Amino acid sequence: MTSNTDTLVIGLVSVSDRASGGVYQDLGLPALQDWLARALTTPYRVETRLIADERAQIEATLTELVDVARCHLVLTTGGTGPARRDVTPEATLAIGTKEMPGFGEQMRQISLHFVPTAILSRQTAVIRETADHAALVLNLPGQPKAIAETLGGLKDAAGATLVGGIFAAVPYCVDLIGGPYMETDPAVCKAFRPKSALRPQP
């Protein structure tokens, strides 16, 4: 498995026919990069990809990011609705070795606080494992506002958490699959680990 002293590598994939074709500017990758910059206190580097809604291309991109670029975490945005061209979940499941359905369930719970059509979203998550490496691959919504909400959760006016965001569980999941120890800014997203898995703060 990957040494947990390695630099954290995060893959970011925006799936959009129109953005990848230059019809309009992609908003997914900047939204992901902005949220991670605010949330993570652990040093990391990113690998970004902007691709069309083609299942074979999505599968190849996710596989390359995990197997070749050695990402520990891959976040996708776009292509998770019910339309004919929305195939990101199918591609994600195809490259995974373990399905992690809880992430998609929680994302829909968060989004249902805003729109009833959240039940139409099909975000999922998987672990992809090779002989000496593993990564968590997460599908996220396509809209920047929804990306921030699903990652960080919902807070009331006083800053108390109403609904937990999915990223709170990501660092411990990456621990369990042999990745680097990730730490977050609690003001943005407080990572949860069992007491036995916590490390002393420097």
Side-chain angles (χ1 to χ4, degrees), residues 4 17 26 35 46 50 59 61-62 81 99-100 118 125 166 183 197:
N4 58 17
D17 283 334
D26 173 65
W35 193 89
V46 297
L50 175 58
E59 289 182 23
T61 299
L62 297 178
E99 187 177 1
M100 303 293 287
I166 63 163
E183 295 184 280

Side-chain angles (χ1 to χ4, degrees), residues 77-164:
T77 174
T80 60
R84 190 177 294 268
R85 294 285 291 171
D86 291 333
V87 293
T88 303
E90 285 75 19
T92 302
L93 291 169
I95 62 93
T97 52
K98 288 187 177 77
E99 187 177 1
M100 303 293 287
F103 285 103
E105 292 163 5
Q106 182 67 0
M107 280 188 267
R108 284 180 281 278
Q109 284 297 314
I110 294 167
S111 296
L112 279 168
H113 282 260
F114 300 98
V115 290
T117 50
I119 59 174
L120 303 180
S121 67
R122 302 185 303 114
Q123 290 102 328
T124 190
V126 300
I127 304 294
R128 177 173 174 83
E129 299 158 307
T130 65
D132 65 347
H133 186 68
L136 172 63
V137 182
L138 286 170
N139 300 156
L140 296 172
Q143 297 301 315
K145 180 174 180 287
I147 289 171
E149 290 163 353
T150 53
L151 287 172
L154 309 178
K155 293 180 172 63
D156 64 16
T161 298
L162 297 173
V163 182

